[in-house]
Amino acid sequence: MAELKGRNFLTLMDFTPEEIRHFLDLAAKFKKMKKEGRTHDGLKGKNVALIFEKTSTRTRCSFEVAAHDLGMQTTYLDNSGSQLGKKESVEDTASVLGRMYDGIEYRGFGQERVETIAEYSGVPTWNGLTDEYHPTQILADMLTVREYLKDEKGKKFVYMGDARFNMGNSLMIGCAKLGLHFVACAPKKYFPNEELVNKCRAWAAESGGSITLTEDTDEAVKNADVIYTDVWVSMGEPAGIWEERIRDLTPYKVTMEKMNKASENAIFMHCLPAFHDLKTEVGKEMGEKYGFNDMEVTDEVFSKYRDVLFDEAENRMHTIKAVMAATLGYEG
Ligand code: CP
Ligand code: NVA
């Protein structure tokens, strides 16, 4: 799709449903090529910079593996290894990187930072997660929905938890554009902001989808095709809010009881990492302090849907590859 060449990938709001579907189709094509051992390195000679102001496993590895598969070289920059923010402004850093690299990935805090990088670098810039949006994750999620439920259109997609941060916002946008019935299920104070909800309702009206906000978990999970959750405290948020989040969001934990009320073929999804047991520093600390074995999802649910969850994680790589390839003008 020629019109994707040279574009930034900052939020799904900037793309039409056809363009989003094109990314998904291209990702599926690259996935097939990779599984069949067919090379797709048409971007040989190009270089991309990967900036991570927050930590990452999936997104970083996806960008690196995908870039290498496409024939490109990568440079990883984190807080400790560059001047960004401390000795050099975002604007000046972007201006430098734009002279050397063909594309730039950014993960960090406010959305305005990735927008500034796009503006000053002049090369395609990809959002690897900000406080507001996580658009590459949504492509992986939608590819996974396609693989498990055939078609994403018309599906009831329920997000439980903090629905006003990056994952809640971006899933709502993606669902609205692609014609899914999106339900944000959370206490009112965790609902996405009204301005974004209104925009999404307008897109949903065109795509045949819908947007529902509810505090009622029974109403939400009834006939759900997908039940999705995310961590209760996101990267960059203060540690002091754990107690309040645990209190507010425990009724929205994804349990087998909730999954059993969903549609027969419903799947559970999570962007990961997940607190489904006590095998992490934070999980162990919180579990011991508040007396539980899991947080946003029980280990039972996590284990039952392991295949979906790790296919979803793998799909990060195939979809990120499609984003870099299409915006750099390579269609495989
Ligand atoms: N889902 C996701 O973005 O994972 P990472 O934080 O490991 O990149
Ligand atoms: N909401 C989470 C998503 C992690 C992929 C965070 O921002 O930490």
Side-chain angles (χ1 to χ4, degrees):
M1 209 180 240
E3 56 269 37
L4 291 174
K5 189 177 176 187
R7 298 264 296 274
N8 299 310
F9 189 82
L10 306 182
T11 150
L12 287 182
M13 289 196 279
D14 301 336
F15 295 90
T16 64
E18 292 67 36
E19 288 168 340
I20 297 170
R21 280 194 283 270
H22 181 76
F23 284 127
L24 296 177
D25 293 343
L26 188 57
K29 175 174 158 184
F30 282 135
K31 183 170 183 176
K32 190 162 184 283
M33 289 173 92
K34 174 116 179 163
K35 302 275 175 200
E36 292 171 357
R38 285 188 284 143
T39 51
H40 39 283
D41 54 359
L43 292 174
K44 259 193 197 137
K46 295 201 185 288
N47 294 283
V48 295
L50 310 176
I51 306 171
F52 282 83
E53 291 199 281
K54 289 178 179 169
T55 51
S56 167
T57 297
R58 275 146 293 271
T59 310
R60 175 187 177 176
C61 297
S62 295
F63 270 99
E64 294 211 17
V65 171
H68 299 157
D69 283 354
L70 291 168
M72 300 193 286
Q73 304 288 324
T74 56
T75 304
Y76 175 74
L77 297 164
D78 67 10
N79 290 333
S80 61
S82 74
Q83 315 284 23
L84 179 64
K86 288 184 272 316
K87 285 173 67 185
E88 194 160 35
S89 66
V90 179
E91 289 86 336
D92 291 354
T93 306
S95 304
V96 173
L97 297 179
R99 300 296 181 101
M100 299 182 193
Y101 291 92
D102 300 285
I104 301 172
E105 179 277 351
Y106 172 83
R107 164 173 287 200
F109 298 90
Q111 181 73 5
E112 68 284 354
R113 280 169 96 86
V114 73
E115 284 168 6
T116 303
I117 291 175
E119 183 184 344
Y120 283 83
S121 68
V123 297
T125 299
W126 310 298
N127 181 355
L129 177 147
T130 58
D131 291 345
E132 292 85 350
Y133 307 111
H134 195 9
T136 61
Q137 177 72 50
I138 283 40
L139 294 184
D141 297 340
M142 290 301 168
L143 183 61
T144 311
V145 169
R146 276 189 180 182
E147 289 171 350
Y148 279 86
L149 303 175
K150 304 278 181 280
D151 187 6
E152 68 278 1
K153 207 170 162 59
K155 297 292 182 298
K156 181 175 180 183
F157 193 110
V158 180
Y159 177 84
M160 308 198 96
D162 181 1
R164 60 190 177 168
F165 213 71
N166 44 28
M167 284 309 305
N169 289 343
S170 292
L171 285 168
M172 180 168 69
I173 298 165
C175 287
K177 294 252 176 179
L178 295 178
L180 289 85
H181 300 292
F182 178 79
V183 180
C185 182
K188 271 202 180 70
K189 72 180 191 200
Y190 297 95
F191 283 176
N193 79 61
E194 211 181 316
E195 192 188 336
L196 185 60
V197 171
N198 289 338
K199 279 187 190 163
C200 288
R201 287 208 162 116
W203 291 318
E206 283 172 29
S207 68
S210 63
I211 308 292
T212 305
L213 311 179
T214 179
E215 294 188 292
D216 183 338
T217 57
D218 278 343
E219 180 199 329
V221 300
K222 193 174 171 216
N223 299 323
D225 297 296
V226 179
I227 299 184
Y228 198 113
T229 191
D230 181 19
V231 290
W232 289 342
V233 175
S234 287
M235 289 183 279
E237 294 196 287
I241 60 169
W242 270 109
E243 191 172 334
E244 183 187 344
R245 291 289 166 82
I246 289 168
R247 193 181 57 237
D248 291 345
L249 296 175
T250 294
Y252 298 86
K253 180 195 297 261
V254 181
T255 58
M256 276 317 290
E257 197 196 338
K258 291 190 182 77
M259 290 305 304
N260 288 337
K261 289 179 184 159
S263 94
E264 203 185 325
N265 298 320
I267 54 173
F268 167 71
M269 297 180 73
H270 191 308
C271 52
L272 305 183
F275 291 119
H276 60 96
D277 57 26
L278 303 184
K279 293 181 191 163
T280 60
E281 271 174 40
V282 178
K284 189 166 179 291
E285 188 193 328
M286 294 302 148
E288 283 168 2
K289 196 163 169 194
Y290 298 104
F292 52 63
N293 296 320
D294 46 47
M295 283 197 261
E296 70 273 11
V297 56
T298 64
D299 200 42
E300 194 184 4
V301 172
F302 191 91
S303 305
K304 180 169 177 198
Y305 295 95
R306 259 189 100 73
D307 289 351
V308 180
L309 292 164
F310 293 105
D311 281 341
E312 182 185 2
E314 178 191 325
N315 284 339
R316 297 296 311 287
M317 197 282 285
H318 305 297
T319 45
I320 280 172
K321 187 183 283 178
V323 169
M324 287 195 288
T327 55
L328 293 174
Y330 174 58
E331 295 281 327

